[in-house]
Every structure is written in C-alpha cells, then in structure tokens.
DNA sequence: GTGGATTTGACAACCGTTCCCAGGCTTCCT
DNA sequence: AGGAAGCCTGGGAACGGTTGTCAAATCCAC
C-alpha cells in the first residue's frame, strides 16, 4: 500500500489558517476572497482543491447552502449537527443521541441498511433577533 | 392584494401527471426526459418553471442530491422527512415527533428563534441489498 | 370568436465547480 | 549543498445545472 504524500505548501497553510479563525460556514469563493484581501493570494482552483482535500480528510465539515453552493467550516471531529444563524452565519455544533438512535431505528424498521443521515437546524440567533 | 391566476396548460398537466406516478425523487432533467419518451414533449425551461411553482405551492417536496442537483417528489402535505434508497431511489416518508421537539428545544436553548430544520436519511433498501 | 394577459420554448447567459497542463516548489537522496 | 522526481499551483477553458430573455403560441373570460 502506498502512503499518501502530502506537501505543506504556503497555500495549504493559508487555507487552513483562514478556516481556523472562522466561526461560520464559508464558501470556497468566500475563502478565496478573504485570502486575497489578506494579501495571501491563492488561486481559486487551489482553494477548491485544498478545501476538498480537507473535507475528504475529515478536517472540515461541508454542507450545502440553500442556493446549492458548498460551505466549509472547521469542526470538532465526532459526529454532530449544526445550528446555523441564517442572518450572521454564527454556528453552534450540537449533538443529539436521541436523534441518532431514532434515525437508525426508523431505517432498520423499513429494511434499510448502510444508513447515513443529514440534519441541520436553521434559525435566527439572539444577537440577530435583537 | 392581487389574486394568482393559474392556467391549466397541457404542459402543466403533463408534469403533474409524471409526478403522480413516480415513487422516487427525480430531477428536472429526469422528468423532462420521461415526458419526452412518453411523447408529451415539454420544453426544459417549462419543466423547471412548473416544478418550482409546484414546490413553492407546497405540492411537491424538493431536496438536493449529493451532486447538488435538485430532486422533486410528490409527497403528503404535512411536515415529514425522507428515507431514501441511494441505489434505486425508493423513498419512504417518515415522521418523528421526538426529532421535531428535540430540534426546537435545542435551538431555543441556544437562543435561536424562527427555527427550521432539514433531515434526510439515506441507505440501501432491502431489495437493493438483496 | 376575440382580446389580452399568461405561458411556452429555443437559446443565451450565469454561476459554482472541475479539468487541463505547463511551470514552480517540496522533498528526499547523495 | 546540489539535483532529480513528482506533487502542487494557477489561469483559463470546459462543464452541468439552472435561470433569464422575448417573440410566438395558448388559454380563458367576455
Ligand atoms: Zn446571527
Ligand atoms: Zn446525526
Ligand atoms: Zn433500493
Ligand atoms: Zn422535521
């Protein structure tokens, strides 16, 4: 089995750095723009590639926004879901053992196997609701 | 307030008819193709428009597939979620009062208001798992 | 049947994302 | 340090789903 060679380039570090200091979900283009305005210019293709790599490696979560664009966020490692403010983007990671078992049980009752699920909660946070 | 005039055209009826006899979620292009092979030719733009109208009217559910394309399905009217076979597309509507209250409670505990959520379960159905 | 607003459909435009590939940069070996 | 190997980058072209455009067709109320 071949090992997976990974080089630590300036660009890769820059993308990770942005993600580290970001609380909300952001699109590839958002991140590309932030990098640019930080002076750390990185090609758009490279941003896409690195975000996907990070996502594949499980280092960031990826969800799809209403308009269909993919949004990324550095998250804790375990299985969890998100409570997202639809105004400011502030995001809280939440866990719900009850939901997990309900989803598995429901799927099993209907004869489904190899089950996964997606669950996101959207609302307006107290700050934005003033 | 202006009323919303709606004309029952051949095309609109054809799209609704396809949705009525379809169990699985299907994309606009899937439906366009089915209509075409049924002999009921309908322009692609028209299919998109009518699906969106039906979705806005709450007559069909719309979810987003893994690759980002929007999938439509005629569903029952109340709030529910879906258990979808990722191989054949067979879909079961499921309800989970437990989940509903958990989502609302969790959001409230974090100070969020005006809350919505999305939840879909994907797996392999017994037929496809043979 | 006629008038007039709604709807259609072919095509262009859009937008996020992926592909391509020549040149650059990390790594590793000596 | 010097150099070879090949992963990585980036600019632009290509892609696929979706939306916009607008003249022509259609539906419906009168
Ligand atoms: Zn907020
Ligand atoms: Zn879960
Ligand atoms: Zn199946
Ligand atoms: Zn629900």
């Amino acid at each position: 089995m071949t090992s997976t060679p990974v080089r630590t380039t300036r660009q890769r570090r820059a993308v990770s750095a942005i993600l580290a200091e970001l609380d909300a979900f952001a699109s590839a283009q958002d991140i590309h723009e932030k990098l640019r305005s930080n002076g750390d210019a990185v090609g758009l293709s490279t941003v896409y590639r690195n975000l996907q790599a990070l996502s594949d490696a499980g280092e960031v979560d990826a969800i799809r926004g209403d308009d269909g664009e993919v949004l990324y966020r550095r998250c804790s490692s375990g299985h969890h879901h998100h409570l997202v403010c639809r105004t400011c983007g502030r995001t809280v990671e939440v866990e719900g053992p009850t939901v997990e078992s309900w989803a598995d049980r429901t799927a099993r009752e209907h004869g489904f196997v190899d089950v996964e699920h997606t669950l996101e909660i959207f609302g307006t946070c107290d700050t934005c609701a003033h």
Side-chain angles (χ1 to χ4, degrees), chain A:
Chain A
M1 115 170 350
T2 61
S3 59
T4 305
V6 173
R7 296 183 181 177
T8 60
T9 63
R10 171 183 69 80
Q11 294 86 339
R12 196 156 291 175
R13 232 171 294 128
V15 171
S16 290
I18 286 282
L19 286 168
E21 68 186 33
L22 222 52
D23 177 36
F25 278 91
S27 71
Q29 315 217 31
D30 288 342
I31 290 171
H32 177 248
E33 187 51 40
K34 282 182 203 300
L35 286 168
R36 168 153 303 212
S37 66
N38 271 21
D40 270 329
V42 176
L44 183 55
S45 306
T46 302
V47 173
Y48 273 106
R49 263 189 311 249
N50 283 329
L51 284 174
Q52 231 169 39
L54 286 168
S55 177
D56 289 346
E59 292 190 37
V60 302
D61 276 13
I63 64 178
R64 214 173 271 275
D66 281 339
D67 54 357
E69 70 185 347
V70 180
L71 305 175
Y72 300 90
R73 179 176 188 270
R74 179 182 200 126
C75 281
S76 60
S77 54
H79 175 84
H80 62 267
H81 300 281
H82 303 105
L83 175 54
V84 184
C85 173
R86 66 169 71 86
T87 299
C88 70
R90 187 159 73 82
T91 297
V92 180
E93 297 180 30
V94 295
E95 290 180 45
T98 313
V99 175
E100 305 304 323
S101 55
W102 172 82
D104 284 346
R105 177 164 19 89
T106 300
R108 210 178 319 117
E109 284 171 1
H110 288 276
F112 282 62
V113 297
D114 195 17
V115 178
E116 292 178 335
H117 62 265
T118 64
L119 165 58
E120 311 296 341
I121 309 177
F122 301 94
T124 305
C125 78
D126 44 13
T127 304
C128 291
H130 85 281

